[in-house]
Amino acid sequence: MPWFQIEAPHVSDAQIAEACSRLLAEAKTRICAEPKRVLLLPPDLTRAHSGAGKITELLYRELDAAGAHVEVIPTLGQHVPHTPEENKWMFGSIPEERIFAHDWKNGVTRIGTIPAKLVDETTEGVADWEIPVDLNTKLVEEQWDLIINVGHVVPHEVLGFANHNKNYYIGLGGKDTICASHIAAAVYGIENNLGCLVTPLRACYNWSEVEHLSKYPDVYLQIVMQRDGDNKLVTSGIYVGDDLDTYLNAAKASREQNITLFDNPVKKIVAVMQPDEFRATWVANKAVYRTRMAIADGGELLIIAPGVERFGEQPEVDDLIRKYGYKGTPRTLALYKTEADMQDIPHGVAHLIHGSSEGRFTITYAPGPKISKEEIEQIGYNYASLDEVQKRYDPAVMKEGWNTMPDGEEIFYISTPSAGLWSTREKLLSPTRRDLSETTLKA
């Protein structure tokens, strides 16, 4: 059973602080009476808008004041580690020496394997390989009295909805785990994953959490956000607990609040990716993922991304994107069968698949000054001048949702694509999409 949850049109800062204190009080009765060593697992800065950094700081302060030794590992996955300045920006007063960067290549320990049989069963045979479970060595080998996962539940391209045990398997996962997971989700189909409570990969993680992680003294604090009457993102739910129902309750709330449905496909969407959160197409392509099910055939997605200065989060992934581009699933999978650099980093291959429109609509990028027109066109996207599009689609003037420009152009404007999912009713409610939330799996 979940521990508790708070739901409101706008959960106040005071209520959030009270929830943090209540979590710690209940943890003393449910997990450890006097936690001396505590690990906090927040998201990285690409989810900073959720307020998870402030929540992490609140938990740290209260635990530190009680005499606990507290450490923080942002659940980076293979994203670029934070700089000290970014840690301060996101986590406030938490000392830099208590914040540790996850090393997805050299800082993990294998604790088990998700069997190929289970992967095959959940994906209906399109993926038939095992998924190694390699997790952060500090998490695995050090003794913790309490582990608190903090995160934002929002529609997600790989796991249906983000957070919960994604913090472990992706956020603190090793290269083999991340690669085997992402390529499995990619071949299953991004549009079969988006907005499903339990995708095949999530079902595998749920099985593994019971099998491999039951000994960990952990609890989840999950945030759900929605837009208020002024179109500002505000916290609408706090969900606390150590079971699957805690996730499902949060994901159901996100499904109701964070998915925008259209009766007809949209001809043009303009999406803005914030420069302090999105510096590579690897993360800025959330604009592609979250809107692709809404865009009409022959339509256009314009991504205004002033902070984008590279393609991949890691050099080898950046090289992969530059070499092969976002040019469709058939081409990408055909190359994957023969190219050694692709086979070395399958999660990069999955990203190339997710970031392609499959030739169905046009993707136009307006990046920062460090990325040229030639570079954008080389990877398969169209290029637009940042200055020109910011003048035409001025964030100070545009309103969330439908806008009609002075020349009559009609566009749908999204200021925070990472906070939701946009789709036609036909696609989201298609009977071909499977949700495994009621399925019990056995390896």
Side-chain angles (χ1 to χ4, degrees):
M1 290 288 291
W3 292 11
F4 65 90
Q5 61 190 47
I6 302 168
E7 296 178 311
H10 185 175
V11 179
S12 68
D13 289 346
Q15 288 175 299
I16 292 172
E18 289 170 6
C20 291
S21 295
R22 181 176 174 185
L23 180 156
L24 295 175
E26 293 208 18
K28 288 184 177 181
T29 63
R30 295 172 180 265
I31 295 178
C32 179
E34 293 295 333
K36 296 300 183 184
R37 284 181 52 81
V38 181
L39 182 61
L40 303 180
L41 303 176
D44 69 2
L45 58 80
T46 62
R47 299 196 190 280
H49 63 270
S50 68
K54 180 64 176 177
I55 288 174
T56 305
E57 184 184 18
L58 289 171
L59 293 167
Y60 181 93
R61 284 179 178 176
E62 189 165 340
L63 288 159
D64 184 64
H69 174 84
V70 188
E71 297 184 5
V72 180
I73 307 177
T75 52
L76 294 167
Q78 61 86 61
H79 291 176
V80 174
H82 296 175
T83 65
E85 292 75 22
E86 289 168 340
N87 278 333
K88 185 173 181 59
W89 173 71
M90 184 164 180
F91 301 118
S93 62
I94 299 178
E96 176 67 19
E97 62 267 21
R98 294 293 182 88
I99 304 175
F100 296 84
H102 172 60
D103 182 348
W104 70 303
K105 290 184 177 178
N106 304 305
V108 297
T109 300
R110 183 158 300 179
I111 64 170
T113 300
I114 299 172
K117 177 185 175 183
L118 189 62
V119 179
D120 180 83
E121 175 190 346
T122 58
T123 64
E124 297 184 297
V126 298
D128 60 357
W129 48 86
E130 68 179 23
I131 298 176
V133 181
D134 298 341
L135 300 183
N136 183 278
T137 298
K138 178 177 278 289
L139 165 75
V140 171
E141 295 190 356
E142 296 187 21
Q143 184 65 43
W144 304 103
D145 299 319
L146 176 63
I147 300 169
I148 305 175
N149 279 276
V150 179
H152 184 194
V153 176
V154 66
H156 190 265
E157 54 277 2
V158 172
L159 287 164
F161 289 85
N163 200 234
H164 200 250
N165 53 33
K166 175 180 181 289
N167 267 21
Y168 289 124
Y169 297 96
I170 301 299
L172 295 183
K175 178 182 176 182
D176 290 346
T177 305
I178 292 173
C179 285
S181 296
H182 278 75
I183 195 65
V187 297
Y188 183 71
I190 183 173
E191 295 185 12
N192 292 323
N193 294 319
L194 285 158
C196 289
L197 296 176
V198 178
T199 64
L201 186 59
R202 170 76 72 179
C204 289
Y205 288 171
N206 292 345
W207 175 88
S208 176
E209 184 173 15
V210 173
E211 185 74 13
H212 301 126
L213 306 185
S214 295
K215 67 177 183 180
Y216 292 114
D218 62 354
V219 58
Y220 295 96
L221 187 159
Q222 298 172 114
I223 306 153
V224 173
M225 306 185 79
Q226 67 176 355
R227 292 195 176 275
D228 65 9
D230 297 322
N231 266 322
K232 293 182 179 178
L233 278 174
V234 298
T235 303
S236 57
I238 298 287
Y239 301 81
V240 176
D242 59 0
D243 63 353
L244 182 59
D245 283 338
T246 301
Y247 160 75
L248 290 173
N249 289 347
K252 288 174 182 177
S254 177
R255 184 175 61 184
E256 292 297 317
Q257 298 170 24
N258 302 147
I259 299 179
T260 300
L261 292 178
F262 300 93
D263 291 328
N264 299 300
V266 180
K267 180 68 174 175
K268 184 169 182 176
I269 291 178
V270 176
V272 178
M273 305 308 290
Q274 291 68 33
D276 51 4
E277 296 183 40
F278 302 101
R279 295 164 188 168
T281 58
W282 181 273
V283 287
N285 271 3
K286 289 181 187 294
V288 180
Y289 312 156
R290 307 297 176 77
T291 65
R292 62 183 304 129
M293 294 171 71
I295 300 175
D297 291 356
E300 180 184 12
L301 169 64
L302 170 60
I303 304 172
I304 302 175
V308 165
E309 58 187 19
R310 59 185 183 272
F311 297 122
E313 287 286 282
Q314 304 292 335
E316 63 269 37
V317 176
D318 192 87
D319 291 341
L320 195 81
I321 296 169
R322 290 174 183 274
K323 182 177 180 180
Y324 297 108
Y326 303 95
K327 299 178 181 178
T329 297
R331 173 182 180 274
T332 301
L333 288 179
L335 289 167
Y336 177 51
K337 293 178 181 179
T338 61
E339 301 302 317
D341 53 353
M342 282 187 150
Q343 293 167 1
D344 184 54
I345 44 175
H347 74 297
V349 178
H351 171 74
L352 298 180
I353 293 171
H354 289 161
S356 171
S357 73
E358 307 297 343
R360 194 174 63 76
F361 57 91
T362 298
I363 299 171
T364 302
Y365 248 94
K370 294 184 179 181
I371 295 286
S372 70
K373 178 178 186 290
E374 291 72 23
E375 288 173 303
I376 289 293
E377 292 177 345
Q378 173 63 27
I379 64 169
Y381 293 156
N382 289 352
Y383 175 88
S385 162
L386 181 63
D387 288 341
E388 291 179 9
V389 298
Q390 285 184 321
K391 287 177 183 177
R392 178 170 177 81
Y393 307 106
D394 184 352
V397 176
M398 304 295 290
K399 65 179 185 293
E400 202 74 29
W402 290 108
N403 292 256
T404 301
M405 308 308 294
D407 60 2
E409 181 189 37
E410 190 174 41
I411 64 101
F412 194 89
Y413 181 82
I414 304 172
S415 65
T416 315
S418 59
L421 173 64
W422 291 259
S423 175
T424 61
R425 294 182 186 278
E426 180 182 12
K427 286 196 173 183
L428 191 77
L429 304 179
S430 169
T432 62
R433 283 164 44 92
R434 298 163 62 240
D435 194 314
L436 303 181
S437 56
E438 303 299 327
T439 301
T440 300
L441 298 173
K442 295 181 180 179

